[in-house]
Amino acid sequence: MIIDIHAHFTAPAELFAYKSNLLAGRGASVNKFKLKDDKIIAALNEPVHGGTSHLQQLKEVGTDMQVISPRPYQLMHSEKPEKIVRAFTEACNNLTHRQTQLFPDKFVGMACLPQNLGVSPKNSIEELERCVKELGMVGCLLNPDPTEGMGPEPPGLGDEYWYPLYEKLVELDIPAMVHAAGCRCGRHDYTLNFIIEESIAIQNLMKSKVFKDFPTLKLIICHGGGAIPYQIGRFVAARSKRGATPFVDSFRKLHFDTALYTQDALEMLFRWASPDNCMFGTERPGAGTAKDPATGKWLDDTRPLIEDIKALNASDKKKIFEDNARKMFKIKTPVAA
Amino acid sequence: MIIDIHAHFTAPAELFAYKSNLLAGRGASVNKFKLKDDKIIAALNEPVHGGTSHLQQLKEVGTDMQVISPRPYQLMHSEKPEKIVRAFTEACNNLTHRQTQLFPDKFVGMACLPQNLGVSPKNSIEELERCVKELGMVGCLLNPDPTEGMGPEPPGLGDEYWYPLYEKLVELDIPAMVHAAGCRCGRHDYTLNFIIEESIAIQNLMKSKVFKDFPTLKLIICHGGGAIPYQIGRFVAARSKRGATPFVDSFRKLHFDTALYTQDALEMLFRWASPDNCMFGTERPGAGTAKDPATGKWLDDTRPLIEDIKALNASDKKKIFEDNARKMFKIKTPVAA
Amino acid sequence: MIIDIHAHFTAPAELFAYKSNLLAGRGASVNKFKLKDDKIIAALNEPVHGGTSHLQQLKEVGTDMQVISPRPYQLMHSEKPEKIVRAFTEACNNLTHRQTQLFPDKFVGMACLPQNLGVSPKNSIEELERCVKELGMVGCLLNPDPTEGMGPEPPGLGDEYWYPLYEKLVELDIPAMVHAAGCRCGRHDYTLNFIIEESIAIQNLMKSKVFKDFPTLKLIICHGGGAIPYQIGRFVAARSKRGATPFVDSFRKLHFDTALYTQDALEMLFRWASPDNCMFGTERPGAGTAKDPATGKWLDDTRPLIEDIKALNASDKKKIFEDNARKMFKIKTPVAA
Amino acid sequence: MIIDIHAHFTAPAELFAYKSNLLAGRGASVNKFKLKDDKIIAALNEPVHGGTSHLQQLKEVGTDMQVISPRPYQLMHSEKPEKIVRAFTEACNNLTHRQTQLFPDKFVGMACLPQNLGVSPKNSIEELERCVKELGMVGCLLNPDPTEGMGPEPPGLGDEYWYPLYEKLVELDIPAMVHAAGCRCGRHDYTLNFIIEESIAIQNLMKSKVFKDFPTLKLIICHGGGAIPYQIGRFVAARSKRGATPFVDSFRKLHFDTALYTQDALEMLFRWASPDNCMFGTERPGAGTAKDPATGKWLDDTRPLIEDIKALNASDKKKIFEDNARKMFKIKTPVAA
Amino acid sequence: MIIDIHAHFTAPAELFAYKSNLLAGRGASVNKFKLKDDKIIAALNEPVHGGTSHLQQLKEVGTDMQVISPRPYQLMHSEKPEKIVRAFTEACNNLTHRQTQLFPDKFVGMACLPQNLGVSPKNSIEELERCVKELGMVGCLLNPDPTEGMGPEPPGLGDEYWYPLYEKLVELDIPAMVHAAGCRCGRHDYTLNFIIEESIAIQNLMKSKVFKDFPTLKLIICHGGGAIPYQIGRFVAARSKRGATPFVDSFRKLHFDTALYTQDALEMLFRWASPDNCMFGTERPGAGTAKDPATGKWLDDTRPLIEDIKALNASDKKKIFEDNARKMFKIKTPVAA
Amino acid sequence: MIIDIHAHFTAPAELFAYKSNLLAGRGASVNKFKLKDDKIIAALNEPVHGGTSHLQQLKEVGTDMQVISPRPYQLMHSEKPEKIVRAFTEACNNLTHRQTQLFPDKFVGMACLPQNLGVSPKNSIEELERCVKELGMVGCLLNPDPTEGMGPEPPGLGDEYWYPLYEKLVELDIPAMVHAAGCRCGRHDYTLNFIIEESIAIQNLMKSKVFKDFPTLKLIICHGGGAIPYQIGRFVAARSKRGATPFVDSFRKLHFDTALYTQDALEMLFRWASPDNCMFGTERPGAGTAKDPATGKWLDDTRPLIEDIKALNASDKKKIFEDNARKMFKIKTPVAA
């Protein structure tokens, strides 16, 4: 069975018309978002980016199940007033939830949080609890920079500023997936910003005592860990100078998805992070849903690439494709064939 | 012959006492920096970071020649008033120059520029010309963010804002090495900032028409291209959507050093950038001058790693170790044995 | 024949999904908005705010024709970068245009401009020309505060800052309708902000020499002139002190719509502005599409209220309902029955 | 008997020389303001704006008594340091008090508060108590924007930020008159700013639970309620959508003065606010003390206009001219003839 | 004959009521200041600070003539909009002028300039010309910091920023008296700020090439040169290091008043500045109009102190009391008895 | 015996290389500063500013002992993050301490504090205690403006903001020497800034109740009290107006060094401050180590100037040169010969 742990929902246009209204009204009056099931179902069956529908795209690459969350780059964490962000967050979570109810064999839900520029992570706890306890979600997105590049930058993920959220994650026994939202910088876009924020998150966490204080905390770093595996020598060197725990050992306290689109990158990830800490993830349909001009194949169809890696044995692959995710997210159904 | 194109000078403490005075005085009175040769020579022969002297460290790993520039993280481009940055820049360039005169077989000089927060790149042209025409330097450092993270961020390297400098580089027929200076961000340090800035530089340049406007411009991206080779699938996908020149083809218009400290990273770099665009570089003594806890070897002694790569043939290796650098920097002497 | 000069289009949700994408991407990549006619037609025939469809609502109150423009509160003039505002502006204008083509007897088009925080009004001229010359539009919206309350406030409408736009309006011989967009203030909402901005516009214009410099400039102040007719005594007094042209005479150089929802307000408007300067306008469907709890009637069905005003004769009413608009917008078809 | 509840004192120039000294000294040394009675009496008997003296102007229009307060536009609430604002506030209140002692049959006192940019309303309570308990004042001015347009804007009057002041008003059983002070905006002046602030105050209060939390709180909105009566249809519509208390019912929880200078505006006010909630007020001598070019009459001589309104019966008029004010301010003397 | 070159006018309270109105109105409407001669004359004959009238105070200490200017700490150069500063400046200059006309034997006029935060010194030239050519004034005040401590600080007086004004001063052949206005700093007051600004002015001018570029420029530094004569050793040392013109020689290119209130300070001033560059000045009535608790004498009655200085001969004293001022200001009448 | 209480250490260049590293790294990693004794000793014996070595310069002018502290203008109190300032402070204090250990007959130590922009004085207490209790220091520097002119300005020294530090000084029974650090202003330099800050400190303290609250607090104002003795008449006048303690009496609650370089300035200081409150101080080698062009003598060799002052008797001179310092700093050894 193939579980794709990094996927974002395909939503009907009405969700974004709702968002536009929130932004235009700037909180003057905030209504709840409502949507009929037929619109939700239609959106998943209509052609999207890539040419076929969301559900078809899963079939095409043989993905059995997805852990879905809202599109992070739409989460507008830097907008004000806070209540419009909160309203959109709830709308997104409700929609995710409804999709998991309508397609219980296909989708498992991951929450987004009402993070907001200048607002404490504490303010996200209530919605997190609602999503887990009432909507049955199995994890949440965590944006390390709710200012979306506007600054002033928030404390790093290694700072105690984030501890209230970590405590709740540990209590609920669910993982957070570190994934930036939008990006207001002019020189680079949100796509590269994901990579940058993941790199910063890792460096900051590695310098901190977070895993000493929360030994059971589970953090998933997206896109194969940003820049770190490629540049790992620098960090190995910096750590060796101080005679401390080798960097690679610390690095393996983190978890990673495989949202990388070249085979050598996937191999590099498994080498440094070990297959024990990696879970299959593609974002399909998403940033990688394009055909490689060299091969004519979908770039985000990475299952064959992984299956082809010599350094992995069958057990490694099963962990990556299924077992690690089942354990991390406590996915019990459907029983694998 | 082994040429290391990414190296920073080892300077006597007096240079930094001078810098401290500039900063403390904030430009109230600015004197020229003067230093006797014996201090310069002594500094290169005294133990530094890593345990032996700069000159010994070259011998230890078999490096024949280095292209040296000042330590970028010391360049204080975000300080004010501008004249203290300019004074320190000149002091650095003069010291680099003197080292190349004292050790003409060992060192070739690369200039730093008086870049400064809020100051146009045009203001760097005069010093660049002095360094090339009077001091015989063969390239220069280029900091894509002279605000050192203070913001507001400058235009990206693909912006016409930088064109006056590109014009001069083309006219002088020398390369610029893209290398950030310090970093005032709280979540990450200057080391990771180098990687981030290199990644932004590449994305920004790839979206621009710089190489259309300056076909002979030579830009060297440090540290093996930041995060891009590892994440290249994302960028291939983004480009393929638009039916344009394949991303990899554009990417190969750039040049790269090999300042990476693991073999798989080096292989990855050569695969995507091709050996034709890579030059041996280590920063030794520097960030990688530490022993790998796993092997006990110097992390920045990467020559053996490269020599060991199966995918490279002898000609590739010679290009990487010597020929590309000779051509790029027009190094004629000493004649290789 | 009844012409409603103050109306905003009813757009399919896809327009706002497009807008959300622009905002989330912050200009990283900007695509053109495309929409099929069947979606456009469906949107005008589906129930909206008020319970019936846009087209039905016109029928219900006997409106024959509307001058339509985009919903101003959605125009996001304070967002950055400018290009996302420009892209959305063009999408809106193209949609307006398509509606006027699909329903040539019902709709006449009024453009919105790509106004943007900190950006000169000059930058709106090109799009204005496109809308008038290529898309056949008959006027445009003019937002006096593109900062949407973020500040620093722009120069008032009486300032020469706006002259390039006034020159173009005079050259094209079309009116501008003064109508604010969104509002980021925390104490009041965009609805009241329209009234405030109209009041400021009038005071500022009355103190200026705009109509001396542009005697043929036509400016339409929405919502019956904001607060001014009710508070006109203060302004009459302030003007009388200086022995200048009586305030009411100056005031009548402006044009007004009748987007007021009580009869005494309509009477007050006609008294001070004179029927010669007023045009029927309702925004239906819009802010007034609600039933008066006292009477059970639609508040924005103001035609009967106007018809009932004793102080107006038949000619006055015809001017208000039809003739002034025909002249102002040069509407020739359809020939009134 | 005619009571004018909206009047501002006529002060000797020495008060403003004192203010100039406070501003020039910026709090370096702050002395108490002292003034002899003969200067106070002379100022009330010398010609002012309008051509005759303050006392004569009352006689001319038949006003028997005025509730006087300082000129709001002079209150400099946005100046720093706070202590100069406080010193001027005390000087003003002491002068008001002295006028009420010197002319007990003519003047009743209304306090101003030491409101200041960025300073909590709590800091006004002590001076309010002094004015009511020691100086016998019967109400106070309340400025909804002590930043005088400099921003960032304070919370709206419906916010709990203001509750400490509301509690004290209820405890002392006196009304507050909502009246802005100066205005630092460039596009509009303090005169129009009064109207804008009153409109914002009403919208904000109507959306709040202030009158639920303080059922006996008495707030007087100046200048006939700003823009709201004229635009009331918009607010009726917005409220009707939510099936709540009709807007007009809520609106009548407020009190209003009649500081409007045209008859139709006065009629409109009485229609929507009801005569029960309106009190005669003119600001004479003040903004309306000018002759109407059309009629040659004083614009602020509005008593005849009110007396002439058909829709009011004798009892209504008595309420407006006298009874409502007597009750609101607990004015017992002089006994009406 | 005794000429006091540092004196500020005594103005009627109406001037400051006018100023208060300007500040409260923030430029909404700006009227000219008008005042009758009887008020002007009365103000000079009524008791002021010190207990007797301005004219009596001159008599008491034997001053024959004063060069009067407005009170600098009242000039509000940091207020906005600029036009209110300009209006007050004109009012002050007109009042100074009228005093010189009413008391031609007592008063000679010195202008103030409409300097304003963020506004170029160029904008002061027109008013300076009016004062000199039309009102017969003999010099002007020059405030080195029109931000009044709000910052960002303007360029120093040695900067070319001020050259347009220097050119005009040279052309008109009149001196400028360097005198700060108000001070918004919290730690020190305007009195000490005068001393600070004079010290900064001197240091900045001494480091500049102003007197090389304008050899005939005449600048008078108030209050005996701030802190410099007392601390002159530091500056002598700093200059000696560079083998340049001795500091004291440069220092004597400036002119000074004697507004110091102790004998040793006066001696020190004459020693370093030389009697050739000093002119009697007291500010009486002003900051020094208080009785010395030790001696019971007026502190600003410094004539006896100067007369008593052994190091001065009769010619020196005549220069200080009369000749230098006559020459500097071209005062011809009255002929000394 | 001659004790010079105002002296700054001569440090090896390595201290400033360490500082440069701290600044360049911006706290990414902070190591302790270490230095061998031979470098420390060498630095004190090598020629410095002035031409001979630090130790020689003392001999040349006959100084027996110095109270040494770090160079204040190097203390970088306005840099961020705080930890780099703290690290440099500790390095300086440790170096001062080591010098006092190596030369116990020559040097007594005075601490610098880790003051930092926006950081409470409380944060300096721990380091102060370490310096006094563990390193045997006898006083500390106190910078009244840790923003170094960047603003916003901190509370004045008379404010309770500083009380925690005053409490600790009183408890430890040691004096603080008021001495500014660097200066980021553009118009004046750190040298003049010392004078300005001392003047502000005095005015602020004189207006406060600090010496009422801390009767035994000992504050030393450097450079002979800035501008105050020269301008003392202004302050005498200001105080006399209020019938309070004469200014001179209050002024004598402060202590002063004699770091002035002209004889008349020294005389003036002793006159107003009295010899009881003055201690010999020269900063040699430092700002005054230059030869007077007039006399050819070292400007900072002020001992002969003081010895030559007629107004001082032998006891006064002994107090100034030795006794006051011995008492203030509790210096017991060496026993004077």
Side-chain angles (χ1 to χ4, degrees), chain F residues 314-331:
Chain F
S315 159
D316 289 339
K317 291 176 193 167
K318 185 141 184 297
K319 281 183 195 164
I320 291 164
F321 287 125
E322 179 174 358
D323 296 352
N324 290 343
R326 277 197 185 271
K327 192 173 151 203
M328 174 69 78
F329 298 109
K330 289 169 276 179
I331 298 170

Side-chain angles (χ1 to χ4, degrees), chain B residues 262-319:
Chain B
T262 50
Q263 195 178 37
D264 59 352
L266 290 159
E267 279 189 273
M268 185 178 271
L269 172 65
F270 300 137
R271 179 175 305 114
W272 296 112
S274 118
D276 293 344
N277 300 304
C278 297
M279 292 173 282
F280 184 64
T282 68
E283 290 195 67
R284 181 168 173 93
T289 313
K291 289 194 174 158
D292 186 340
T295 65
K297 293 186 183 165
W298 290 114
L299 281 155
D300 58 5
D301 182 9
T302 57
R303 190 165 56 106
L305 304 184
I306 294 171
E307 286 172 342
D308 190 45
I309 292 176
K310 302 285 177 306
L312 300 176
N313 61 29
S315 159
D316 290 340
K317 291 176 192 167
K318 186 142 185 297
K319 281 183 195 164

Side-chain angles (χ1 to χ4, degrees), chain F residues 14-35:
Chain F
E14 280 73 10
L15 177 68
F16 301 105
Y18 174 71
K19 181 183 164 188
S20 285
N21 250 315
L22 289 172
L23 278 164
R26 288 282 156 201
S29 67
V30 171
N31 301 313
K32 290 272 171 196
F33 177 60
K34 284 171 193 163
L35 194 62

Side-chain angles (χ1 to χ4, degrees), chain D residues 102-115:
Chain D
L102 292 170
F103 299 89
D105 292 350
K106 275 286 156 221
F107 297 135
V108 173
M110 179 177 278
C112 61
L113 302 179
Q115 295 181 262

Side-chain angles (χ1 to χ4, degrees), chain E residues 87-100:
Chain E
F88 185 63
T89 301
E90 291 173 13
C92 285
N93 284 331
N94 291 347
L95 178 56
T96 299
H97 173 56
R98 193 62 195 144
Q99 290 194 349
T100 64

